[in-house]
Each structure stands twice: as C-alpha cells, then as structure tokens.
Coordinates of all heavy atoms in Angstrom, one line a residue:
M17 N 11.8 20.8 -3.2 CA 11.4 19.9 -4.4 C 10.1 19.3 -4.0 O 9.9 18.7 -3.0 CB 12.4 18.7 -4.6 CG 11.9 17.7 -5.6 SD 12.7 16.1 -5.6 CE 14.5 16.5 -5.3
S18 N 9.1 19.5 -4.8 CA 7.7 18.9 -4.5 C 7.5 17.6 -5.0 O 8.2 17.1 -6.0 CB 6.7 19.8 -5.1 OG 6.8 19.7 -6.5
L19 N 6.8 16.7 -4.4 CA 6.6 15.3 -4.8 C 5.5 15.3 -5.9 O 4.5 16.0 -5.9 CB 6.0 14.5 -3.6 CG 7.0 14.2 -2.5 CD1 6.3 13.6 -1.3 CD2 8.2 13.5 -2.9
R20 N 5.7 14.4 -6.8 CA 4.7 14.2 -7.9 C 3.6 13.4 -7.2 O 3.7 12.7 -6.2 CB 5.2 13.2 -9.0 CG 6.4 13.9 -9.8 CD 6.9 12.9 -10.7 NE 7.4 11.7 -10.1 CZ 7.8 10.6 -10.5 NH1 7.8 10.5 -11.8 NH2 8.1 9.6 -9.8
P21 N 2.3 13.5 -7.8 CA 1.2 12.7 -7.3 C 1.4 11.3 -7.0 O 1.1 10.7 -6.0 CB 0.0 13.0 -8.3 CG 0.4 14.3 -8.9 CD 1.8 14.3 -8.9
A22 N 2.1 10.5 -8.0 CA 2.5 9.3 -7.7 C 3.3 8.9 -6.5 O 3.2 7.9 -5.7 CB 3.1 8.6 -9.0
D23 N 4.3 9.9 -6.5 CA 5.2 9.7 -5.2 C 4.5 9.9 -3.9 O 4.7 9.2 -2.9 CB 6.3 10.7 -5.4 CG 7.3 10.4 -6.5 OD1 7.3 9.4 -6.9 OD2 7.9 11.5 -6.9
T24 N 3.5 10.8 -3.9 CA 2.7 11.1 -2.7 C 1.9 9.9 -2.4 O 1.7 9.5 -1.3 CB 1.8 12.4 -2.9 OG1 2.7 13.5 -3.1 CG2 1.0 12.7 -1.6
L25 N 1.3 9.4 -3.5 CA 0.4 8.2 -3.2 C 1.3 7.1 -2.6 O 0.8 6.3 -1.8 CB -0.3 7.7 -4.6 CG -1.1 6.4 -4.5 CD1 -2.3 6.5 -3.6 CD2 -1.6 6.1 -5.9
L26 N 2.5 6.7 -3.1 CA 3.3 5.7 -2.6 C 3.7 6.0 -1.2 O 3.6 5.1 -0.4 CB 4.5 5.5 -3.6 CG 4.2 5.0 -4.9 CD1 5.5 4.7 -5.6 CD2 3.5 3.6 -5.0
R27 N 4.1 7.2 -0.9 CA 4.4 7.5 0.5 C 3.2 7.3 1.4 O 3.2 6.8 2.5 CB 4.9 9.0 0.5 CG 5.3 9.4 2.1 CD 5.5 10.9 2.1 NE 4.1 11.5 2.1 CZ 3.9 12.7 1.5 NH1 4.7 13.3 0.9 NH2 2.6 13.0 1.4
D28 N 2.0 7.8 1.0 CA 0.8 7.6 1.8 C 0.4 6.1 2.1 O 0.0 5.7 3.0 CB -0.4 8.2 1.2 CG -0.3 9.8 1.3 OD1 0.6 10.3 2.0 OD2 -1.0 10.5 0.6
L29 N 0.6 5.2 1.0 CA 0.2 3.9 1.1 C 1.3 3.2 1.9 O 0.9 2.3 2.7 CB 0.4 3.2 -0.4 CG -0.8 3.4 -1.3 CD1 -0.5 2.9 -2.8 CD2 -2.0 2.7 -0.7
A30 N 2.6 3.7 1.9 CA 3.7 3.1 2.8 C 3.2 3.4 4.2 O 3.3 2.5 5.2 CB 5.0 3.5 2.4
A31 N 2.9 4.5 4.4 CA 2.4 4.9 5.9 C 1.2 4.2 6.2 O 1.2 3.7 7.6 CB 2.1 6.4 5.9
L32 N 0.3 4.0 5.3 CA -1.0 3.1 5.8 C -0.6 1.7 6.1 O -1.2 1.1 7.0 CB -2.0 3.2 4.6 CG -3.2 2.5 4.8 CD1 -4.1 3.2 5.8 CD2 -4.0 2.6 3.3
I33 N 0.3 1.1 5.2 CA 0.7 -0.2 5.5 C 1.5 -0.4 6.9 O 1.2 -1.3 7.6 CB 1.7 -0.7 4.3 CG1 0.8 -0.8 3.0 CG2 2.4 -1.9 4.6 CD1 1.7 -0.9 1.8
L34 N 2.4 0.5 7.2 CA 3.1 0.5 8.5 C 2.1 0.5 9.5 O 2.3 -0.3 10.5 CB 4.0 1.6 8.4 CG 5.2 1.4 7.5 CD1 6.2 2.8 7.7 CD2 6.0 0.2 7.7
E35 N 1.0 1.4 9.4 CA 0.0 1.6 10.5 C -0.7 0.2 10.6 O -1.1 -0.2 11.7 CB -0.8 2.7 10.2 CG -1.9 3.0 11.3 CD -2.7 4.1 11.0 OE1 -2.2 5.2 10.3 OE2 -4.0 4.2 11.4
A36 N -1.3 -0.2 9.4 CA -2.2 -1.3 9.5 C -1.5 -2.6 10.0 O -2.1 -3.3 10.7 CB -2.7 -1.7 8.0
C37 N -0.2 -2.7 9.7 CA 0.5 -3.9 10.1 C 1.2 -3.8 11.4 O 2.0 -4.5 11.8 CB 1.5 -4.3 9.1 SG 0.6 -4.8 7.6
Q38 N 1.0 -2.5 12.1 CA 1.6 -2.1 13.4 C 3.2 -2.3 13.3 O 3.8 -2.7 14.3 CB 1.0 -3.0 14.4 CG -0.5 -2.8 14.7 CD -1.0 -3.5 15.7 OE1 -0.4 -4.3 16.5 NE2 -2.4 -3.4 15.8
V39 N 3.8 -1.7 12.3 CA 5.2 -1.6 12.1 C 5.7 -0.4 12.7 O 5.4 0.6 12.0 CB 5.8 -1.9 10.7 CG1 7.2 -1.8 10.5 CG2 5.3 -3.2 10.1
R40 N 6.2 -0.3 13.7 CA 6.5 0.9 14.4 C 8.0 1.5 14.1 O 8.2 2.7 14.3 CB 6.5 0.8 15.9 CG 5.1 0.2 16.3 CD 4.1 1.3 16.9 NE 3.0 0.5 17.3 CZ 1.8 0.5 16.8 NH1 1.7 1.2 15.5 NH2 0.8 0.0 17.2
D41 N 8.9 0.7 13.8 CA 10.3 1.0 13.7 C 10.8 1.5 12.3 O 12.1 1.5 12.1 CB 11.2 0.0 14.3 CG 11.0 -1.3 13.5 OD1 10.1 -1.4 12.8 OD2 11.9 -2.2 13.8
R42 N 9.9 1.7 11.4 CA 10.2 2.1 10.0 C 9.6 3.3 9.6 O 8.6 3.7 10.1 CB 9.8 1.0 9.1 CG 10.5 -0.4 9.2 CD 12.0 -0.4 9.0 NE 12.3 -0.2 7.6 CZ 12.5 -1.0 6.8 NH1 12.2 -2.3 7.0 NH2 12.7 -0.7 5.6
D43 N 10.4 4.1 8.8 CA 9.9 5.4 8.2 C 9.3 5.0 6.8 O 9.9 4.3 6.0 CB 11.0 6.3 7.9 CG 10.7 7.6 7.4 OD1 9.6 7.7 6.7 OD2 11.4 8.5 7.5
P44 N 8.1 5.5 6.4 CA 7.5 5.1 5.2 C 8.4 5.5 4.0 O 8.3 4.7 3.0 CB 6.2 6.0 5.2 CG 6.0 6.3 6.6 CD 7.1 6.3 7.3
A45 N 9.3 6.4 4.0 CA 10.0 6.8 3.1 C 11.1 5.8 2.8 O 11.7 5.8 1.7 CB 10.7 8.2 3.3
E46 N 11.4 5.0 3.8 CA 12.4 3.9 3.6 C 11.9 2.5 2.9 O 12.7 1.8 2.5 CB 12.9 3.6 5.0 CG 13.6 4.4 5.7 CD 14.0 4.0 7.2 OE1 13.6 3.0 7.5 OE2 14.7 4.9 7.9
L47 N 10.5 2.6 2.8 CA 10.0 1.4 2.1 C 10.3 1.3 0.5 O 9.7 2.2 -0.1 CB 8.6 1.3 2.4 CG 7.8 0.1 1.9 CD1 8.4 -1.3 2.6 CD2 6.3 0.0 2.4
P48 N 11.1 0.5 0.1 CA 11.3 0.4 -1.3 C 10.0 0.2 -2.2 O 9.4 -0.7 -1.9 CB 12.4 -0.6 -1.6 CG 12.9 -1.1 -0.3 CD 11.8 -0.7 0.8
A49 N 10.0 0.9 -3.2 CA 8.7 0.8 -4.1 C 8.8 -0.5 -4.8 O 7.6 -1.0 -5.1 CB 8.6 2.0 -5.1
D50 N 9.8 -1.1 -5.1 CA 9.8 -2.3 -6.0 C 10.2 -3.6 -5.2 O 10.4 -4.7 -5.8 CB 10.8 -2.1 -7.2 CG 10.2 -1.1 -8.2 OD1 8.9 -1.0 -8.3 OD2 11.0 -0.3 -8.7
A51 N 10.3 -3.4 -3.8 CA 10.7 -4.6 -3.0 C 9.3 -5.5 -2.8 O 8.3 -4.8 -2.5 CB 11.4 -4.1 -1.7
P52 N 9.5 -6.8 -2.5 CA 8.3 -7.6 -2.2 C 7.6 -6.9 -0.8 O 8.4 -6.7 0.2 CB 8.8 -9.0 -2.1 CG 10.1 -8.9 -2.9 CD 10.6 -7.5 -2.7
L53 N 6.3 -6.9 -0.8 CA 5.7 -6.5 0.4 C 5.3 -7.7 1.3 O 5.4 -7.5 2.5 CB 4.2 -5.9 0.1 CG 4.2 -4.4 -0.4 CD1 2.9 -3.9 -0.8 CD2 4.8 -3.5 0.6
I54 N 4.9 -8.9 0.7 CA 4.5 -10.0 1.6 C 5.4 -11.1 1.2 O 5.9 -11.3 0.2 CB 3.2 -10.4 1.1 CG1 2.2 -9.1 1.2 CG2 2.7 -11.4 2.0 CD1 2.1 -8.5 2.5
G55 N 5.8 -11.9 2.3 CA 6.4 -13.2 2.0 C 7.8 -13.1 2.6 O 8.2 -12.1 3.2
P56 N 8.7 -14.2 2.3 CA 10.0 -14.3 2.8 C 10.8 -13.2 2.5 O 11.9 -12.9 3.1 CB 10.5 -15.6 2.5 CG 9.6 -15.9 1.3 CD 8.3 -15.3 1.5
D57 N 10.7 -12.6 1.3 CA 11.5 -11.5 0.9 C 11.1 -10.2 1.3 O 11.7 -9.2 0.8 CB 11.8 -11.6 -0.8 CG 12.4 -12.9 -1.1 OD1 13.3 -13.5 -0.3 OD2 12.1 -13.5 -2.1
S58 N 10.0 -10.0 2.0 CA 9.5 -8.7 2.4 C 10.4 -7.9 3.2 O 11.1 -8.4 4.1 CB 8.2 -9.0 3.2 OG 7.8 -7.8 3.9
A59 N 10.7 -6.7 2.7 CA 11.5 -5.8 3.4 C 11.0 -5.6 4.9 O 11.7 -5.1 5.8 CB 11.6 -4.4 2.8
L60 N 9.7 -5.8 5.2 CA 9.1 -5.5 6.5 C 8.9 -6.8 7.2 O 8.3 -6.8 8.4 CB 7.8 -4.7 6.3 CG 7.9 -3.3 5.7 CD1 6.6 -2.8 5.4 CD2 8.8 -2.4 6.6
G61 N 9.0 -8.0 6.5 CA 8.8 -9.2 7.2 C 7.2 -9.5 7.3 O 6.8 -10.1 8.2
L62 N 6.5 -9.1 6.4 CA 5.1 -9.1 6.4 C 4.7 -10.6 5.9 O 5.2 -11.2 5.0 CB 4.3 -8.1 5.6 CG 4.7 -6.7 6.0 CD1 4.0 -5.6 5.2 CD2 4.3 -6.3 7.5
D63 N 3.6 -11.0 6.4 CA 3.0 -12.4 6.1 C 1.6 -12.2 5.5 O 1.0 -11.3 5.3 CB 3.1 -13.4 7.1 CG 2.3 -13.2 8.5 OD1 1.4 -12.2 8.3 OD2 2.5 -13.5 9.5
S64 N 0.9 -13.4 5.2 CA -0.4 -13.4 4.6 C -1.4 -12.7 5.6 O -2.4 -12.2 5.1 CB -0.8 -14.8 4.4 OG -0.9 -15.7 5.5
L65 N -1.4 -12.8 7.0 CA -2.2 -12.1 7.9 C -2.1 -10.7 7.7 O -3.1 -9.8 7.7 CB -2.0 -12.6 9.2 CG -2.3 -14.1 9.5 CD1 -1.9 -14.3 10.9 CD2 -3.7 -14.4 9.2
D66 N -0.8 -10.2 7.5 CA -0.6 -8.8 7.2 C -1.2 -8.3 5.9 O -1.8 -7.2 5.7 CB 0.9 -8.5 7.2 CG 1.5 -8.7 8.5 OD1 1.0 -8.1 9.5 OD2 2.5 -9.3 8.6
A67 N -1.3 -9.2 4.9 CA -1.8 -8.9 3.6 C -3.3 -8.6 3.8 O -3.9 -7.7 3.2 CB -1.6 -10.1 2.6
V68 N -4.1 -9.4 4.5 CA -5.5 -9.1 4.8 C -5.5 -7.7 5.6 O -6.5 -6.9 5.0 CB -6.0 -10.2 5.8 CG1 -7.5 -9.8 6.2 CG2 -5.9 -11.6 5.1
E69 N -4.8 -7.4 6.5 CA -4.9 -6.0 7.0 C -4.6 -5.0 5.9 O -5.4 -4.0 6.1 CB -3.8 -6.0 8.2 CG -4.0 -6.8 9.4 CD -5.3 -6.6 10.1 OE1 -5.8 -5.5 10.1 OE2 -5.8 -7.5 10.8
I70 N -3.6 -5.1 5.1 CA -3.4 -4.1 4.1 C -4.6 -4.0 3.2 O -5.1 -2.9 2.9 CB -2.1 -4.6 3.2 CG1 -0.9 -4.4 4.2 CG2 -2.0 -3.7 2.1 CD1 0.3 -5.1 3.6
V71 N -5.1 -5.1 2.8 CA -6.3 -5.1 1.7 C -7.4 -4.3 2.5 O -8.0 -3.4 1.9 CB -6.9 -6.5 1.4 CG1 -8.2 -6.4 0.7 CG2 -5.7 -7.1 0.5
V72 N -7.8 -4.6 3.7 CA -8.9 -3.9 4.4 C -8.7 -2.4 4.5 O -9.4 -1.6 4.3 CB -9.1 -4.6 5.8 CG1 -10.2 -3.8 6.5 CG2 -9.7 -6.0 5.6
A73 N -7.4 -2.1 5.1 CA -7.1 -0.7 5.2 C -7.1 0.1 3.8 O -7.6 1.1 3.8 CB -5.6 -0.6 5.7
V74 N -6.6 -0.4 2.7 CA -6.6 0.3 1.4 C -7.9 0.3 0.9 O -8.4 1.4 0.5 CB -5.6 -0.5 0.5 CG1 -5.8 0.0 -0.9 CG2 -4.1 -0.5 0.9
E75 N -8.8 -0.7 1.1 CA -10.2 -0.6 0.6 C -10.9 0.5 1.4 O -11.6 1.3 0.8 CB -10.8 -1.9 0.7 CG -10.3 -2.9 -0.4 CD -11.0 -4.3 -0.1 OE1 -11.7 -4.5 0.8 OE2 -11.0 -5.0 -1.1
R76 N -10.6 0.6 2.6 CA -11.4 1.7 3.5 C -10.9 3.0 3.1 O -11.5 3.9 3.1 CB -11.2 1.3 4.9 CG -12.1 0.2 5.4 CD -11.9 0.1 6.9 NE -12.7 -1.1 7.5 CZ -12.6 -1.8 8.6 NH1 -11.7 -1.4 9.3 NH2 -13.4 -2.7 8.9
A77 N -9.6 3.2 3.0 CA -9.0 4.6 2.8 C -9.2 5.2 1.4 O -9.4 6.3 1.3 CB -7.4 4.5 3.1
Y78 N -9.2 4.2 0.4 CA -9.2 4.7 -0.9 C -10.5 4.3 -1.7 O -10.7 4.8 -2.8 CB -7.9 4.2 -1.7 CG -6.7 4.8 -1.3 CD1 -5.9 4.2 -0.3 CD2 -6.3 6.1 -1.8 CE1 -4.7 4.6 0.2 CE2 -5.1 6.6 -1.3 CZ -4.4 5.9 -0.3 OH -3.2 6.5 0.1
G79 N -11.3 3.5 -1.1 CA -12.7 3.3 -1.7 C -12.5 2.2 -2.8 O -13.3 2.6 -3.8
V80 N -11.6 1.6 -2.9 CA -11.3 0.6 -4.1 C -11.5 -0.8 -3.6 O -11.3 -1.1 -2.3 CB -9.9 0.8 -4.7 CG1 -9.6 2.1 -5.3 CG2 -8.8 0.4 -3.7
R81 N -11.8 -1.7 -4.3 CA -12.1 -3.1 -4.1 C -11.1 -4.0 -4.6 O -11.0 -4.1 -6.0 CB -13.4 -3.6 -4.5 CG -13.8 -5.0 -4.2 CD -15.1 -5.1 -3.4 NE -15.5 -6.5 -3.2 CZ -15.1 -7.2 -2.2 NH1 -14.4 -6.7 -1.3 NH2 -15.6 -8.4 -2.1
I82 N -10.2 -4.6 -3.8 CA -9.0 -5.2 -4.4 C -9.4 -6.7 -4.7 O -9.2 -7.2 -5.8 CB -7.8 -5.3 -3.3 CG1 -7.4 -3.8 -3.2 CG2 -6.8 -6.3 -3.7 CD1 -6.2 -3.7 -2.1
A83 N -10.2 -7.4 -3.9 CA -10.5 -8.8 -4.1 C -11.5 -9.1 -5.2 O -11.5 -10.1 -5.8 CB -11.0 -9.4 -2.8
G84 N -12.2 -7.9 -5.5 CA -13.2 -8.2 -6.6 C -12.6 -8.3 -8.0 O -13.2 -8.9 -8.9
E85 N -11.5 -7.5 -8.4 CA -11.1 -7.5 -9.7 C -9.8 -8.3 -9.9 O -9.6 -8.9 -10.9 CB -10.8 -6.2 -10.0 CG -12.2 -5.2 -10.3 CD -11.8 -3.9 -10.8 OE1 -10.9 -3.6 -11.7 OE2 -12.2 -2.9 -10.2
A86 N -8.9 -8.2 -9.0 CA -7.6 -8.9 -9.1 C -7.4 -9.8 -7.9 O -8.0 -9.4 -6.8 CB -6.5 -7.8 -9.4
T87 N -6.5 -10.6 -8.0 CA -6.0 -11.3 -6.7 C -5.1 -10.3 -5.9 O -4.3 -9.8 -6.5 CB -5.2 -12.6 -7.1 OG1 -4.0 -12.3 -7.7 CG2 -6.1 -13.5 -8.1
P88 N -5.5 -10.4 -4.6 CA -4.6 -9.5 -3.7 C -3.2 -9.9 -3.8 O -2.3 -8.9 -3.8 CB -5.1 -9.9 -2.3 CG -6.5 -10.4 -2.5 CD -6.4 -11.1 -3.9
R89 N -2.7 -11.1 -4.2 CA -1.3 -11.5 -4.4 C -0.7 -10.6 -5.5 O 0.4 -10.2 -5.3 CB -1.2 -12.9 -4.6 CG 0.2 -13.4 -4.8 CD 0.2 -14.9 -4.9 NE -0.1 -15.5 -3.7 CZ 0.6 -16.5 -3.2 NH1 1.6 -17.0 -3.9 NH2 0.2 -17.0 -2.1
E90 N -1.4 -10.5 -6.5 CA -0.8 -9.7 -7.7 C -0.8 -8.2 -7.3 O 0.1 -7.5 -7.6 CB -1.7 -9.9 -9.0 CG -1.7 -11.1 -9.5 CD -2.7 -11.4 -10.5 OE1 -3.5 -10.4 -10.8 OE2 -3.0 -12.5 -11.0
V91 N -1.8 -7.7 -6.6 CA -1.9 -6.3 -6.3 C -0.8 -5.9 -5.3 O -0.3 -4.9 -5.2 CB -3.3 -5.9 -5.8 CG1 -3.4 -4.5 -5.3 CG2 -4.3 -6.0 -7.0
L92 N -0.6 -6.9 -4.3 CA 0.3 -6.6 -3.2 C 1.7 -7.1 -3.5 O 2.5 -7.2 -2.5 CB -0.3 -7.3 -1.9 CG -1.5 -6.7 -1.4 CD1 -2.1 -7.5 -0.1 CD2 -1.6 -5.2 -1.1
R93 N 2.0 -7.5 -4.7 CA 3.3 -7.9 -5.0 C 4.4 -6.7 -4.5 O 5.3 -7.2 -3.7 CB 3.6 -8.0 -6.4 CG 4.9 -8.7 -6.8 CD 4.9 -9.1 -8.2 NE 4.7 -8.1 -9.1 CZ 3.8 -7.9 -10.0 NH1 3.0 -8.9 -10.4 NH2 3.7 -6.7 -10.9
T94 N 4.3 -5.4 -4.8 CA 5.2 -4.5 -4.3 C 4.3 -3.2 -4.0 O 3.2 -3.1 -4.4 CB 6.2 -4.1 -5.4 OG1 5.5 -3.5 -6.6 CG2 6.9 -5.3 -5.9
L95 N 5.0 -2.3 -3.5 CA 4.3 -0.9 -3.2 C 3.9 -0.3 -4.6 O 2.9 0.2 -4.7 CB 5.3 0.0 -2.3 CG 4.7 1.3 -1.9 CD1 3.5 1.1 -0.9 CD2 5.8 2.1 -1.1
S96 N 4.7 -0.5 -5.6 CA 4.4 0.2 -6.9 C 3.3 -0.6 -7.4 O 2.4 0.2 -8.0 CB 5.6 0.0 -7.8 OG 6.6 0.7 -7.5
T97 N 3.1 -1.8 -7.4 CA 2.0 -2.4 -7.9 C 0.6 -2.1 -7.3 O -0.4 -1.9 -7.9 CB 2.0 -3.9 -8.0 OG1 2.2 -4.6 -6.6 CG2 3.1 -4.4 -8.8
L98 N 0.7 -2.0 -6.0 CA -0.4 -1.5 -5.2 C -0.8 0.0 -5.6 O -2.0 0.3 -5.8 CB -0.2 -1.6 -3.6 CG -1.2 -1.1 -2.7 CD1 -2.5 -1.8 -3.0 CD2 -0.7 -1.3 -1.2
G99 N 0.2 0.9 -5.7 CA 0.1 2.2 -6.1 C -0.5 2.2 -7.5 O -1.5 3.1 -7.8
E100 N -0.2 1.4 -8.4 CA -0.8 1.5 -9.7 C -2.1 1.0 -9.8 O -3.0 1.6 -10.5 CB 0.1 0.6 -10.6 CG 1.6 1.0 -10.9 CD 2.4 0.1 -11.6 OE1 2.0 -1.1 -11.9 OE2 3.6 0.3 -11.8
F101 N -2.5 0.0 -9.0 CA -3.8 -0.4 -8.8 C -4.7 0.6 -8.2 O -5.9 0.9 -8.9 CB -3.8 -1.7 -7.9 CG -5.2 -2.2 -7.7 CD1 -5.8 -3.3 -8.6 CD2 -6.0 -1.9 -6.6 CE1 -7.0 -3.8 -8.4 CE2 -7.4 -2.5 -6.5 CZ -7.7 -3.4 -7.5
V102 N -4.3 1.3 -7.2 CA -5.2 2.3 -6.6 C -5.5 3.4 -7.5 O -6.4 3.9 -7.8 CB -4.6 2.8 -5.2 CG1 -5.3 4.0 -4.6 CG2 -4.5 1.6 -4.2
A103 N -4.3 4.0 -8.2 CA -4.4 5.1 -9.1 C -5.3 4.8 -10.3 O -6.1 5.6 -10.8 CB -3.0 5.5 -9.6
A104 N -5.1 3.5 -10.9 CA -5.9 3.1 -12.0 C -7.4 3.1 -11.7 O -8.3 3.2 -12.7 CB -5.5 1.9 -12.5
R105 N -7.9 3.0 -10.4 CA -9.2 2.8 -10.2 C -9.8 4.2 -9.5 O -10.7 4.1 -8.9 CB -9.3 1.6 -9.2 CG -9.5 0.4 -10.0 CD -8.8 -0.9 -9.3 NE -8.9 -1.9 -10.2 CZ -7.8 -2.1 -11.1 NH1 -6.8 -1.3 -11.3 NH2 -7.8 -3.2 -11.9
G106 N -8.9 5.2 -9.6 CA -9.4 6.4 -9.2 C -9.3 6.8 -7.7 O -9.8 7.7 -7.2
G107 N -8.7 5.8 -7.1 CA -8.5 5.8 -5.6 C -7.3 6.9 -5.1 O -7.2 7.3 -4.0
E108 N -6.6 7.4 -6.2 CA -5.4 8.3 -5.9 C -5.7 9.5 -5.0 O -5.1 9.8 -4.1 CB -4.7 8.6 -7.1 CG -3.4 9.4 -6.9 CD -2.8 9.6 -8.2 OE1 -3.2 9.2 -9.4 OE2 -1.8 10.3 -8.2
Q109 N -6.9 10.1 -5.2 CA -7.3 11.3 -4.5 C -8.0 11.1 -3.2 O -8.2 11.9 -2.4 CB -8.1 12.1 -5.4 CG -7.3 12.5 -6.6 CD -6.1 13.3 -6.4 OE1 -6.0 14.0 -5.5 NE2 -5.1 13.2 -7.3
S110 N -8.6 9.8 -3.0 CA -9.5 9.5 -1.9 C -8.9 9.8 -0.5 O -9.7 10.4 0.2 CB -10.0 8.0 -2.1 OG -10.7 7.8 -3.2
L111 N -7.7 9.3 -0.3 CA -7.2 9.6 1.1 C -7.1 11.1 1.4 O -7.4 11.6 2.4 CB -5.8 8.9 1.3 CG -5.2 8.9 2.6 CD1 -6.1 8.1 3.5 CD2 -3.9 8.2 2.6
V112 N -6.6 11.8 0.3 CA -6.5 13.2 0.5 C -7.8 14.0 0.6 O -8.0 14.8 1.4 CB -5.6 13.9 -0.8 CG1 -5.6 15.4 -0.7 CG2 -4.2 13.2 -0.9
A113 N -8.7 13.6 -0.2 CA -10.1 14.2 -0.2 C -10.6 13.9 1.1 O -11.4 14.7 1.7 CB -10.9 13.7 -1.3
G114 N -10.4 12.7 1.7 CA -11.1 12.3 3.0 C -10.6 13.2 4.2 O -11.2 13.3 5.2
A115 N -9.3 13.6 4.1 CA -8.6 14.3 5.1 C -9.1 15.9 5.1 O -8.8 16.5 6.0 CB -7.1 14.1 5.0
A116 N -9.5 16.2 4.0 CA -9.8 17.7 3.8 C -11.1 18.0 4.5 O -11.9 17.3 5.0 CB -10.0 18.0 2.3

C-alpha cells in the first residue's frame, strides 16, 4: 500500500518534530495526527520552547513562514493543522525536493 502525499507529508513532519525537539523514544508513525502537539495534553510532552524549535525547523525545511501569516499556536495545534498549513502554502514538496 502506498502513502498518499498528505500522509507522506504528515509522516515527514512528525519525523522533523521528533528530531527538532530531540524526542528519541518515539516512532513518527505513532504520533496521532489530531492530538495536541504543544501543552499539557501533548502526546509528546512538548512545551512552548519546543514550539519555537518546531517553527524554525518547519520554516527551514519547507520554506514557509509560520509567524508571518498565522499565529504559531493555531498552526501547531495538531500535526494535521501543521500539515494543512504547509500544504496550503506549497511547502508540501519542499522537503522531498531538497533531498533529491
């Protein structure tokens, strides 16, 4: 079974988040797409300092600007909201294109 582009984007974003926040004991595939990323309900236990790391990593990897258009809190609500934001701004192919 092949992954849809959106699934691939979410998997790549999950891996980027785990790397940026130095979470070593989790598999990117285990990160629920609709679970809170930041705050007390975070599946990964991430806080506001981790949010900054995620914003910087995503902006660098995908060439999108998070703080310029929307509040990072809205964008980083879940893995799905982050994926939708990146895809809507054309960043969906950036990580893959950069690796080629």
Side-chain angles (χ1 to χ4, degrees):
M17 174 193 329
S18 64
L19 293 174
R20 295 174 303 166
D23 294 334
T24 301
L25 176 61
L26 292 181
R27 186 195 64 218
D28 292 345
L29 283 169
L32 183 67
I33 289 167
L34 294 177
E35 181 180 332
C37 298
Q38 299 179 0
V39 177
R40 309 252 186 262
D41 58 345
R42 296 293 296 268
D43 182 342
E46 295 175 359
L47 186 58
D50 293 324
L53 279 178
I54 309 297
D57 297 326
S58 169
L60 300 172
L62 302 179
D63 60 21
S64 59
L65 294 178
D66 294 309
V68 173
E69 295 294 334
I70 295 169
V71 167
V72 170
V74 170
E75 287 181 345
R76 285 183 180 162
Y78 291 94
V80 297
R81 179 125 173 94
I82 294 174
E85 292 184 43
T87 65
R89 179 177 292 228
E90 294 168 4
V91 174
L92 298 178
R93 189 174 58 232
T94 66
L95 185 60
S96 291
T97 58
L98 178 58
E100 290 167 7
F101 180 87
V102 170
R105 281 146 186 84
E108 186 171 355
Q109 303 297 330
S110 296
L111 187 64
V112 176

